[in-house]
Amino acid sequence: MTSPELLDHVVAGSGPGLVLVHGTGADATSNWGPLIDAMADRYTVVAPNLPGAGATPVDPAPLDPDALADRIVATARAAGLERFHLAGHSLGSVVATAVAARHPEAVTSLLLHAGWVRTTAREAFMFDLWARLLRTDPELLARELILSAMGPGLLGALDDAQFAEMAAGFTALLDERILGQIELDGRVDLREAVGRVTAPTLVVASEDDRIVPPHHQRELAAAVDGAEYVQVPGGHGLPFEDPARFFSIVTEYVDKRQAQARALA
């Protein structure tokens, strides 16, 4: 059997393993950079780039969550990690769920932000709009993403110049290499997989998420046996709009689960 192709990735630090999976249109550094820096003093942090992000080539075939799960585990093992804590944001939560379902022996704990079990007609309609805008006018997609991904607290505090700066930053991240990620967003179905997740799990919802509303995270938490659920202020883009809040949640959960794992060893 052919070994899964490794993903381009960031690796930093030493200690127990922590794998971080980014969301659609982001990459390892833009999604997780401050957290990697904060946790590299006590964890070996591996942050893969999904196809179309970083130096990972676009996959010509439709992206498959199980195949991505195998590639993430292979990438982690190539970095020396046999077991690891695992966190994902948005599409990264979908892929992280697939990892935990497919490779339960590898996952010490699981944290899922803005995840979902199954794409409904509403989200499929939205993701199709994203793809159409990306092909025709990435700046318009950037503007739409700012208005839908960021929470009202941040949006209400921005002035004209800050909106323009944010739009320019988003536009710079967007190119057609991520169309495969958007296409996968539009057809997620983890209904069979979620029942196979055995790792301790925290599902995090942003109460103002207009891309994947909190009812999806509640459904996800209910489907994973024993999962904890927490809802916090902010939008879908919480790692970008309020990184201090989001990364403190990740840090506290992973540190707690690592202490428990150490006590049981």
Side-chain angles (χ1 to χ4, degrees), residues 7 18-24 26-28 31-32 35-36 45-51 68-69 72-73 84-97 99 110-113 239 246:
L7 298 162
L18 171 62
V19 174
L20 306 172
V21 190
H22 66 81
T24 303
D27 58 25
N31 204 146
W32 301 108
L35 184 65
I36 295 170
V45 185
V46 175
N49 284 307
L50 298 177
L68 289 175
I72 285 172
V73 171
F84 45 83
H85 302 276
L86 178 61
H89 161 68
S90 190
L91 177 60
S93 286
V94 170
V95 177
T97 302
V99 171
L110 181 64
L111 185 146
L112 306 171
H113 174 249
F246 178 64

Side-chain angles (χ1 to χ4, degrees), residues 58-179:
V58 172
D59 195 326
L63 297 180
D64 175 70
D66 286 345
L68 289 175
D70 292 348
R71 294 179 72 181
I72 285 172
V73 171
T75 300
R77 287 176 176 161
L81 304 182
E82 290 298 320
R83 283 184 60 83
F84 45 83
H85 302 276
L86 178 61
H89 161 68
S90 190
L91 177 60
S93 286
V94 170
V95 177
T97 302
V99 171
R102 192 168 172 84
H103 299 278
E105 77 290 344
V107 180
T108 304
S109 73
L110 181 64
L111 185 146
L112 306 171
H113 174 249
W116 68 103
V117 176
R118 181 177 65 91
T119 301
T120 67
R122 171 198 172 273
E123 288 82 44
F125 187 83
M126 174 186 62
F127 294 134
D128 179 66
L129 173 63
W130 288 10
R132 291 173 185 236
L133 287 174
L134 180 56
R135 290 188 180 101
T136 57
D137 193 331
E139 184 180 0
L140 284 183
L141 175 58
R143 288 170 175 260
E144 194 280 332
L145 289 174
I146 290 168
L147 294 174
S148 59
M150 301 304 170
L154 176 64
L155 293 177
L158 298 177
D159 60 24
D160 291 347
Q162 290 168 321
F163 270 113
E165 181 181 3
M166 185 175 289
F170 271 53
T171 303
L173 292 172
L174 299 172
D175 64 53
E176 293 195 13
R177 295 179 71 235
I178 68 168
L179 282 170

Side-chain angles (χ1 to χ4, degrees), residues 157-239:
L158 298 177
D159 60 24
D160 291 347
Q162 290 168 321
F163 270 113
E165 181 181 3
M166 185 175 289
F170 271 53
T171 303
L173 292 172
L174 299 172
D175 64 53
E176 293 195 13
R177 295 179 71 235
I178 68 168
L179 282 170
Q181 298 175 27
I182 297 173
E183 192 273 337
L184 175 55
D185 287 329
R187 55 176 172 81
V188 168
D189 190 345
L190 297 175
R191 286 176 291 180
E192 187 276 330
V194 287
R196 292 186 281 111
V197 175
T198 59
T201 300
L202 175 64
V203 176
V204 182
S206 293
E207 62 187 22
D208 299 306
D209 192 335
R210 292 185 293 277
I211 292 177
V212 186
H215 70 85
H216 284 285
Q217 288 89 62
R218 291 193 292 270
E219 178 185 5
L220 179 58
V224 175
D225 187 38
E228 302 174 55
Y229 174 83
V230 62
Q231 187 166 303
V232 298
H236 186 85
L238 189 63

